[in-house]
Amino acid sequence: MAAAPGRRRPAVLLWAAVCLATALAVDRSNFKTCEQSGFCRRQRGLQPGHSPYRALLESLQLGPDAARLQLVNEVTKVPLLLELWGLQGNVTRIRIKELNPLRPRFEVPDVLVAEPPVERLAVTGRDEGSLELSLGPAGHRLLVTEKPFRMDLLQGRELLCSVNARGLLFFEHLRQRRDSFSDKVSSSVGSLWDKIKTLFHRDTPREPTAEEGGAAEGQEETTGGTEDAGTQSEKPTEATAEAAEEPGSWEETFKTHTDTKPNGPTSVGLDFSLPGFEHVYGIPEHADSLRLRTTEGGDPYRLYNLDVFQYELYNPMALYGSVPLLLAHSARRTLGIFWLNAAETWVDISSNTAGKTLFGKLLDYMQGGGETPQTDVRWMSESGIVDVFLLLGPTPAAVAGQYAALTGTQALPPLFALGYHQSRWNYNDEEDVAAVERGFEEHAVPCDVLWLDIEHADGKRYFTWDPSKFPRPRDMLQRLAAKKRKMVSIVDPHIKVDSGYRVHNELRSRGFYVKTKDGSDYEGWCWPGSAAYPDFTNPEMRAWWASMFAYDQYEGSTENLFTWNDMNEPSVFSGPEVTMHKDAVHHGGWEHRDLHNLYGLYVQMATAEGQIQRSGGQHRPFVLSRAFFAGSQRYGAVWTGDNAAEWEHLKISIPMCLSFGLAGLSFCGSDVGGFFKNPEAELLVRWYQAGAFQPFFRAHAHLDTARREPWLFGEENVALIRAAIRQRYALLPFWYTAFYRSHRHGLPVMRPLWMEYPEDATTFAIDDQYMIDRALLVHPVTEQGARGVQVYLPGKGEVWYDVASLQKHHAPQTLYVPVTMSSVPVFQRGGTVVPRQERVRRSTECMRGDPFTLYVALSPQGTAEGDLFLDDGQSFDYETKARYLHRQFTFAGNTLTASSADPRGSFDTPAWLERVVILGAGKPAAVVLRPADGSETRLDFQHEAETSVLTLRKPGVRIGDDWAIVLR
Ligand SMILES: *[C@@H]1O[C@H](CO)[C@@H](O)[C@H](O)[C@H]1NC(C)=O
């Protein structure tokens, strides 16, 4: 839930009143612009031009794995070490760090699943000013130019990507502070100002300062002059290329917060030029269109996990999570840039289609004029090293596979997690939970999970229950279990500082909290009041956290209780930009600055591990997280945070989840209905219809909104919502199979059309429709009062079938589809088989073993294929004991054949085939079923001439068996 105005917390009442009085829009002044972020300003101050860096080609060392050579900044003379790897599967890794750093610099741990196997590099060319390396069997070559330093990655004669072509390599080497006297003066001026401020603001309600047992914060604007007090008196800079001593280099103040920077300036940056690419995507999380825009004339896209209260749409501001993966796509190829850095990062995007860059012109010249489109991307991070993976594709699927090989694939969710989730801040007590559950029963709306937000805990002490509202949690959970339903409770990482709270006492006594720069426990203000933050970067702390999910540690918890990690950016109401101070100190002495964007990933990792351990390693976890980083897909689900009940927010849920998926996070959703504000019935219904076709399907609402359970909007609307949710449940076998494939191969479940139709430029900027796996195309209605939607059906010579009418449409075309309130435009691609379970019940668990229906949508050639993955839906047995079924269905030569897609697996299920619906079929004279035993039986069928739909009734074979059905 929202960070900011805790309306019910008297301590910030004033602030809350101010924020809520202003419009429902983000208060931008709470968050830095690039200009206000010292390193971003310094880096952006460096214009494209000649790089001061030179590659010392004679220093090349070609090891069995990597090539290493030195770079030197000709102005500062500081040497850097450049390391190059060719990794198997068309990946090139480039690392740049200091040759002799004063202190170690942070290198991101725990994100890569493995060090990928390397290709042998070879020097294939050399002259005075350049060097050519071959990078592996696919013919990729890297040209390293000495002066100014740049690199060009080629395949054959095609230039794929240039590095530092614009000369924006930026590396602030670690240094001693030059003039400690003036800095001492400057910081004492700063603290004097702080004191004066405190005096003047005595009458303003404020929270206690850290020293006083809380955390300092003035949400109030500071008086003029204080902002820069910390930096004003710094020495003028020497004219170096890096402007090392610019104001803000050793100390930086934003609003009332001073960031002491004991290590001084440490930022890194690098530019990449992508000739031939006009479309770039990725780098979630931003509330923006799927296709990224150029950032010229505005701020760069920012990656810095933040709790942004009432975020605005269509801008590059940072949000709750960050994945520093950018994809470039053209009709000819796809390429990815994975910038492995967990510090605050900004990404500038420019393109020559708007205004030509120097390199673009050069390229035009080299290629004899003409317009070669080009996109330039510049990454800027506050600390760490340059560590970048170029994912060379060449297809979208290949890039997805390359990224998955580095960071892992989507965890296979327990089946129930793909069902419908009912959440609200808050379900007040056990009676409320029971009443809501009864509502689902009475209105025959399927629902798998009920959620409890922060009010369920005793005074926001997570791992506890409010004794008056939830006196018997175990009984409540058992009542849910009896109905085959689950519950999720929230467990946030801010821990109430309270000597009567066991969790706090243990964390403190074990020294597991994040520390301030002075070595005391870091405390900030959050939901429970004064709170401390467990250091999730410490593996011992994570092991302890995981142990807290044991049934005897988390009292009242049971097997059907799962977890939601919110506020894990981390959100610190009293901190700079509502997060942790960058000079806070983590395990190993690293500054929060170095690893900020990783914190949320570790929280989800430790929580998921806890759930696995409590079951003795048997059961798959379910954890929803708001903050994330590259690799978070391995730990569970994510969502788009605190959105609003507005049509525009419904619309943007599509590009946002698509960009999550491109960055490996397949299990994405947005709060159905919108978190803030009250949706009108039409918006709510449309949101349910859209949400039913997004991977994570949860309704959620703010504390101050009106109740909005599906049956509170009249008979007509509950019927529409019920229908949407039932559609979801009928398609669960298809969703589950798609997740299995994503888990195995790293392709997103919900994907942009261009992943399936990479050559069709019409698809490159589509934000209002998408594919689920390779078979369904969805175009939810997201316009108020819509009478129809324009649906683009891609694929030359392909056909699509409207899932509602079963009518066939030829592609490519833009089809006008008239809609009513019950319409959800979904199309099945000709050539696919989609499995369904059409006996929809109360929850997914109730549908286990139910019979299947296959929708066989024929291509114009009369073929189709698809698959079905099946297991117990909850354990790791599919992995550890090969207990699963992966079935393959193929239609060709008028015969539908069922075979094993993977003979390693076996799984006992009573489920059988109840119906086959063949779309685009002529009328056969007879239909014959041939089971594996060689017998033959005739099947009843029905043929609709008008729609060419052939329905085969009761084949009756077991879903795990081999069989064939022949149309004669
Ligand atoms: C690597 O690239 C080559 C040439 O573009 C391509 O044929 C091959 O399939 C790619 N390999 C992978 C694993 O993507």
Side-chain angles (χ1 to χ4, degrees):
M1 90 277 344
R7 281 187 173 190
R8 296 150 27 114
R9 287 181 301 116
V12 287
L13 254 180
L14 179 93
W15 180 38
V18 170
C19 283
L20 290 169
T22 54
L24 275 183
V26 67
D27 181 356
R28 284 185 183 233
S29 73
N30 281 333
F31 303 100
K32 289 183 186 178
T33 60
C34 173
E35 189 59 29
Q36 289 166 325
S37 172
F39 78 93
C40 190
R41 181 179 64 235
R42 292 197 298 278
Q43 292 214 23
R44 259 195 165 184
L46 176 65
Q47 299 294 321
H50 279 302
S51 175
Y53 284 95
R54 184 157 70 91
L56 305 180
L57 299 183
E58 63 282 6
S59 69
L60 175 74
Q61 287 185 335
L62 199 57
D65 58 339
R68 294 185 172 80
L69 58 105
Q70 290 176 31
L71 306 177
V72 67
N73 182 321
E74 302 220 278
V75 179
T76 64
K77 305 294 179 205
V78 175
L80 303 179
L81 176 66
L82 168 69
E83 298 173 286
L84 302 165
W85 289 262
L87 305 178
Q88 276 175 24
N90 302 343
V91 177
T92 300
R93 184 181 195 175
I94 300 169
R95 214 149 64 158
I96 302 176
K97 47 191 191 181
E98 285 179 63
L99 187 63
N100 305 302
L102 268 184
R103 288 173 294 279
R105 297 181 67 116
F106 189 71
E107 299 182 17
V108 177
D110 298 315
V111 166
L112 300 181
V113 283
E115 293 287 323
V118 295
E119 302 280 6
R120 229 188 157 80
L121 303 180
V123 176
T124 45
R126 193 164 208 166
D127 63 26
E128 242 168 66
S130 66
L131 179 71
E132 191 193 81
L133 292 169
S134 83
L135 295 171
H140 296 113
R141 292 173 298 136
L142 191 69
L143 205 65
V144 183
T145 303
E146 180 193 2
K147 194 181 165 180
F149 163 65
R150 66 177 276 168
M151 295 191 286
D152 296 278
L153 210 155
L154 300 104
Q155 186 175 29
R157 304 193 53 179
E158 188 184 357
L159 178 59
L160 306 184
C161 174
S162 304
V163 180
N164 200 35
R166 292 191 299 151
L168 298 174
L169 169 58
F170 197 96
F171 207 110
E172 293 177 325
H173 60 275
L174 295 168
R175 64 204 70 192
Q176 301 289 0
R177 199 166 186 164
R178 286 236 186 107
D179 186 346
S180 44
F181 174 72
S182 83
D183 286 313
K184 277 205 189 93
V185 171
S186 112
S187 62
S188 63
V189 168
S191 57
L192 186 61
W193 266 111
D194 284 341
K195 294 225 168 64
I196 292 170
K197 223 165 51 199
T198 315
L199 287 173
F200 279 114
H201 286 271
R202 268 287 147 78
D203 52 342
T204 311
R206 64 181 192 94
E207 292 154 12
T209 64
E211 292 74 20
E212 292 160 7
E217 172 54 339
Q219 264 80 17
E220 72 276 15
E221 283 300 320
T222 57
T223 46
T226 53
E227 306 281 326
D228 297 318
T231 54
Q232 268 169 2
S233 54
E234 283 195 9
K235 272 269 146 57
T237 67
E238 239 176 69
T240 70
E242 292 178 297
E245 306 302 318
E246 252 189 40
S249 291
W250 290 90
E251 189 168 277
E252 197 171 330
T253 301
F254 177 67
K255 300 193 89 173
T256 56
H257 297 281
T258 296
D259 174 15
T260 68
K261 301 208 269 188
N263 297 329
T266 56
S267 79
V268 298
L270 190 57
D271 67 275
F272 301 83
S273 295
L274 302 166
F277 290 100
E278 278 184 281
H279 294 80
V280 289
Y281 308 89
I283 52 169
E285 178 180 9
H286 299 100
D288 209 347
S289 52
L290 176 61
R291 181 193 174 187
L292 300 170
R293 290 176 291 178
T294 65
T295 55
E296 288 157 307
D299 259 3
Y301 284 98
R302 189 182 190 201
L303 294 173
Y304 190 57
N305 295 357
L306 291 177
D307 180 0
V308 179
F309 180 67
Q310 289 174 349
Y311 60 80
E312 256 178 62
L313 307 187
Y314 303 106
N315 76 51
M317 286 174 71
L319 284 177
Y320 314 95
S322 301
V323 182
L325 170 70
L326 178 135
L327 303 186
H329 177 72
S330 76
R332 299 189 51 231
R333 65 160 66 234
T334 314
L335 190 144
I337 301 175
F338 175 38
W339 175 265
L340 181 51
N341 189 303
E344 178 185 346
T345 295
W346 298 79
V347 186
D348 253 326
I349 294 166
S350 54
S351 121
N352 67 347
T353 1
K356 272 210 153 66
T357 63
L358 209 67
F359 186 69
K361 284 180 193 154
L362 192 74
L363 207 84
D364 277 358
Y365 172 70
M366 279 166 18
Q367 300 182 345
E371 190 81 9
T372 302
Q374 174 173 317
T375 301
D376 296 311
V377 182
R378 175 186 197 174
W379 298 80
M380 301 170 273
S381 292
E382 190 178 8
S383 68
I385 62 168
V386 172
D387 192 358
V388 59
F389 296 82
L390 299 177
L391 316 176
L392 304 174
T395 61
V399 172
Q402 287 149 8
Y403 181 67
L406 294 171
T407 64
T409 61
Q410 179 66 52
L412 181 63
L415 181 58
F416 81 82
L418 297 181
Y420 171 67
H421 301 254
Q422 179 69 36
S423 182
R424 142 163 216 102
W425 177 22
N426 215 82
Y427 288 122
N428 301 324
D429 48 31
E430 291 173 7
E431 290 66 44
D432 197 3
V433 168
V436 170
E437 212 224 339
R438 221 164 31 240
F440 282 97
E441 293 288 303
E442 281 166 10
H443 297 90
V445 178
C447 175
D448 263 78
V449 194
L450 294 181
W451 289 55
L452 295 179
D453 207 324
I454 52 172
E455 313 298 334
H456 85 277
D458 182 11
K460 286 39 166 213
R461 293 171 188 85
Y462 307 108
F463 301 104
T464 71
W465 305 81
D466 184 309
S468 60
K469 298 178 195 157
F470 294 92
R472 282 171 295 273
R474 234 173 245 277
D475 294 349
M476 170 180 66
L477 285 159
Q478 267 153 17
R479 279 194 300 274
L480 285 171
K483 296 275 180 56
K484 303 202 186 306
R485 290 198 170 100
K486 325 285 180 197
M487 179 165 261
V488 166
S489 64
I490 197 164
V491 177
D492 284 352
H494 48 256
I495 300 299
K496 187 176 177 66
V497 173
D498 168 8
S499 58
Y501 178 27
R502 177 173 72 97
V503 175
H504 165 67
N505 289 337
E506 284 211 34
L507 284 162
R508 183 157 65 182
S509 65
R510 290 169 192 251
F512 280 164
Y513 280 131
V514 178
K515 302 284 186 275
T516 66
K517 63 179 172 13
D518 304 318
S520 54
D521 287 346
Y522 178 93
E523 288 180 16
W525 199 262
C526 207
W527 292 127
S530 193
Y533 292 78
D535 186 0
F536 284 88
T537 69
N538 178 353
E540 278 179 53
M541 147 57 209
R542 290 200 301 274
W544 177 84
W545 180 267
S547 75
M548 282 303 294
F549 289 86
Y551 299 119
D552 59 349
Q553 295 296 310
Y554 187 169
E555 276 173 45
S557 68
T558 56
E559 268 198 0
N560 64 332
L561 181 68
F562 297 86
T563 315
W564 173 16
N565 292 147
D566 197 13
M567 314 291 281
N568 53 339
E569 295 74 25
S571 178
V572 182
F573 295 162
S574 53
E577 303 191 85
V578 202
T579 192
M580 190 171 276
H581 292 71
K582 284 177 170 171
D583 53 12
V585 179
H586 289 264
H587 180 65
W590 297 109
E591 279 191 288
H592 187 67
R593 173 187 339 276
D594 297 315
L595 48 79
H596 171 85
N597 286 344
L598 261 181
Y599 188 85
L601 173 143
Y602 278 131
V603 176
Q604 195 181 16
M605 175 198 272
T607 304
E609 186 55 38
Q611 281 184 19
I612 294 171
Q613 280 177 19
R614 73 175 185 184
S615 74
Q618 292 281 304
H619 289 158
R620 276 135 56 189
F622 172 73
V623 184
L624 175 72
S625 173
R626 191 170 68 182
F628 54 80
F629 190 65
S632 287
Q633 67 269 18
R634 308 194 298 261
Y635 308 111
V638 287
W639 92 112
T640 63
D642 299 345
N643 60 359
E646 292 170 4
W647 288 92
E648 286 301 318
H649 275 266
L650 165 58
K651 269 179 216 166
I652 207 145
S653 69
I654 298 171
M656 285 182 82
C657 274
L658 284 172
S659 95
F660 281 43
L662 288 176
L665 305 163
S666 264
F667 204 3
C668 170
S670 69
D671 284 349
V672 169
F675 177 70
F676 293 111
K677 301 173 68 177
N678 295 305
E680 55 192 321
E682 183 190 356
L683 176 59
L684 185 66
V685 167
R686 290 303 191 198
W687 214 316
Y688 269 101
Q689 292 171 341
F693 288 91
Q694 291 179 7
F696 176 58
F697 184 24
R698 182 187 76 150
H700 185 53
H702 189 280
L703 185 70
D704 296 329
T705 58
R707 295 294 283 244
R708 56 165 93 139
E709 287 70 51
W711 47 89
L712 296 177
F713 295 80
E715 264 315 305
E716 209 173 308
N717 290 311
V718 71
L720 291 167
I721 293 171
R722 180 190 302 121
I725 297 179
R726 288 176 61 93
Q727 281 204 60
R728 167 64 167 228
Y729 277 74
L731 275 169
L732 280 169
F734 171 69
W735 278 104
Y736 194 55
T737 303
F739 265 91
Y740 177 71
R741 215 198 315 276
S742 180
H743 172 60
R744 280 275 177 252
H745 307 294
L747 280 170
V749 168
M750 173 178 174
R751 58 184 79 148
L753 265 58
W754 57 260
M755 279 202 97
E756 290 297 318
Y757 297 91
E759 291 171 17
D760 182 352
T762 318
T763 64
F764 294 178
I766 291 183
D767 267 0
D768 54 4
Q769 60 180 56
Y770 58 91
M771 304 282 300
I772 304 173
D773 204 299
R774 56 177 293 272
L776 294 185
L777 184 153
V778 188
H779 187 127
V781 179
T782 57
E783 294 285 343
Q784 185 172 20
R787 299 270 173 86
V789 295
Q790 300 278 355
V791 179
Y792 178 66
L793 299 175
K796 208 173 188 166
E798 291 195 26
V799 293
W800 295 84
Y801 300 85
D802 185 322
V803 162
S805 66
L806 303 183
Q807 212 185 339
K808 179 159 82 176
H809 300 279
H810 290 271
Q813 69 158 316
T814 299
L815 182 71
Y816 179 78
V817 181
V819 299
T820 64
M821 271 314 291
S822 64
S823 311
V824 194
V826 178
F827 296 82
Q828 185 175 344
R829 186 181 190 169
T832 63
V833 178
V834 169
R836 294 176 180 247
Q837 276 178 312
E838 298 193 312
R839 303 185 183 189
V840 172
R841 301 177 198 273
R842 156 194 308 143
S843 74
T844 52
E845 205 184 316
C846 298
M847 292 165 66
R848 275 184 63 179
D850 271 0
F852 287 86
T853 295
L854 298 179
Y855 278 75
V856 180
L858 297 184
S859 69
Q861 294 73 39
T863 59
E865 59 179 351
D867 60 345
L868 170 69
F869 175 78
L870 205 63
D871 72 342
D872 64 20
Q874 59 176 24
S875 78
F876 285 107
D877 287 358
Y878 77 98
E879 204 169 66
T880 55
K881 300 180 182 151
R883 291 217 179 116
Y884 62 91
L885 280 183
H886 193 187
R887 305 296 301 165
Q888 172 77 26
F889 306 106
T890 309
F891 190 96
N894 279 328
T895 304
L896 177 65
T897 314
S899 58
S900 176
D902 179 354
R904 286 171 305 174
S906 68
F907 178 67
D908 236 3
T909 170
W912 53 286
L913 184 64
E914 127 177 279
R915 196 179 302 117
V916 176
V917 182
I918 305 178
L919 311 178
K923 185 176 182 180
V927 178
V928 170
L929 170 71
R930 285 195 199 135
D933 64 12
S935 63
E936 281 203 3
T937 34
R938 289 197 159 220
L939 291 182
D940 276 353
F941 66 90
Q942 192 184 349
H943 186 259
E944 299 267 353
E946 208 185 313
T947 48
S948 304
V949 175
L950 176 66
T951 305
L952 315 181
R953 274 193 296 265
K954 286 222 174 131
V957 282
R958 301 258 290 222
I959 201 69
D961 287 351
D962 289 353
W963 46 261
I965 292 174
V966 185
L967 314 186
R968 291 213 170 112

